[in-house]
Amino acid sequence: MASSGSGYDLSSSTFSPDGRIFQVEYAHKAVENAGTALGLRCSDGVVLAVEKPLITKMLVKETTGRRVHTVDEYAGVAITGFVSDGRQIVNRAREEASNYDETYGTKIPPRTLANRLSAYVHYFTLHGALRPFGCSTLIAAYDPATKHHSLHMVEPSGVTYEYYGAAAGRGRQPARTEMEKLAINPKQVAASGDGEGTLITCAEAVKQLAKIIYALHDEAKDKPFELEMSWLCEGSGWKHVGVPKKVIKEATVWAKKEIEEAEGEESEEEDDEMEE
């Protein structure tokens, strides 16, 4: 009975005999069924990208169901999962940023914002009258006091971590595999002997994230989507803004070309193996 969740999934305040909280696991499942959300911390900033499914051709995609939001001048979030749940987290993030500024007279540090959001999300896993948020949140923020930029992710369970590269949603695992190949971890880059100057930049990250999302998209099975992207970098004055549509379009063209070339090389290798 414990393995199926029967009798132990009626409340988020109930543990199963093997120590699981099924309501939280169901919330994670809701995120896994949603569009892919990616984030990369680069040498000169942070880039966020989200696959926003278009449920109908009549949808006004520019103003409907946005997945990327600005919560403060130097902070933005990307959400995936239940969009309605995500909006509540976005509103809470804006309140936390505003209250911190009013109280201390300075912008909220990235880690503080992430911790406060995670505490808010975790609260909804503690009471039987509430349900967990079916949404994961990627946070890109910059601290003017320390001149430090960072990427955090808050999961439905309320746990939060800081990342060099983060992924959530349907294509989480293959996306992580692809991001691990990029030069995003300073320690690994330094160990390779290349030096920190070879860390990926935001301009290159836009292309790579577009490539990952389009590579994971199956046109035969998945619905059409719009690629939403934002960044927080030196070029934007460390303000969280949307990536210009022209840049996204160029990145999309580059990504599709790279994918086609990779598929062509794979088919040629298969033909050669068959001939042998």
Side-chain angles (χ1 to χ4, degrees):
M1 181 167 62
S3 61
S4 64
S6 177
Y8 297 97
D9 60 354
L10 301 179
S11 171
S12 60
S13 61
T14 303
F15 281 92
S16 70
D18 52 353
R20 299 163 65 184
I21 302 178
F22 285 99
Q23 285 283 334
V24 174
E25 293 184 16
Y26 297 159
H28 277 281
K29 189 64 176 177
V31 174
E32 291 174 4
N33 292 332
T36 305
L38 308 175
L40 278 181
R41 176 185 166 187
C42 311
S43 61
D44 58 343
V46 183
V47 181
L48 300 175
V50 185
E51 172 194 5
K52 184 177 82 172
L54 303 177
I55 57 177
T56 173
K57 294 181 180 179
M58 295 182 289
L59 185 72
V60 182
K61 60 183 180 180
E62 290 82 3
T63 58
T64 304
R66 290 176 55 207
R67 265 61 167 185
V68 178
H69 302 265
T70 296
V71 298
D72 196 22
E73 185 177 10
Y74 300 112
V77 301
I79 58 174
T80 186
F82 288 162
V83 180
S84 52
D85 285 10
R87 283 201 300 267
Q88 299 306 313
I89 297 177
V90 171
N91 290 337
R92 180 70 179 197
R94 287 170 175 164
E95 291 176 5
E96 292 289 355
S98 177
N99 291 341
Y100 192 95
D101 194 2
E102 291 178 2
T103 303
Y104 300 104
T106 184
K107 297 298 180 181
I108 188 169
R111 185 172 298 176
T112 302
L113 177 60
N115 288 339
R116 291 189 177 187
L117 275 186
S118 66
Y120 175 70
V121 171
H122 180 242
Y123 180 82
F124 282 76
T125 69
L126 301 176
H127 299 274
L130 304 173
R131 70 162 176 81
F133 287 100
C135 175
S136 284
T137 309
L138 277 66
I139 305 170
Y142 173 75
D143 187 353
T146 61
K147 309 298 182 183
H148 176 74
H149 60 279
S150 60
L151 171 68
H152 300 258
M153 183 166 71
V154 180
E155 299 180 6
S157 61
V159 67
T160 180
Y161 296 105
E162 183 176 352
Y163 292 91
Y164 292 113
R170 182 170 50 242
R172 176 187 60 178
Q173 197 54 51
R176 285 178 177 176
T177 301
E178 291 301 317
M179 286 193 289
E180 287 173 357
K181 300 175 183 178
L182 303 176
I184 55 177
N185 190 329
K187 293 181 180 180
Q188 293 181 354
V189 172
S192 67
D194 295 332
E196 205 170 308
T198 59
L199 284 172
I200 191 171
T201 64
C202 286
E204 180 63 23
V206 169
K207 295 181 179 180
Q208 294 296 338
L209 291 182
K211 179 182 177 182
I212 292 172
I213 288 182
Y214 274 98
L216 296 175
H217 182 75
D218 188 345
E219 294 184 359
K221 298 180 180 179
D222 301 332
K223 294 180 180 179
F225 73 95
E226 178 189 9
L227 180 59
E228 286 192 15
M229 304 189 82
S230 68
W231 57 20
L232 176 150
C233 58
E234 292 179 355
S236 66
W238 294 111
K239 296 180 180 179
H240 179 259
V241 297
V243 176
K245 292 183 178 180
K246 180 181 178 181
V247 176
I248 296 177
K249 186 176 180 180
E250 292 174 351
T252 299
V253 172
W254 178 88
K256 290 181 177 179
K257 182 179 179 181
E258 288 289 310
I259 294 171
E260 289 177 0
E261 291 179 355
E263 291 176 348
E265 291 177 359
E266 289 180 1
S267 61
E268 289 179 1
E269 290 177 358
E270 291 177 358
D271 292 341
D272 293 340
E273 289 177 0
M274 292 179 65
E275 290 177 0
E276 293 176 358

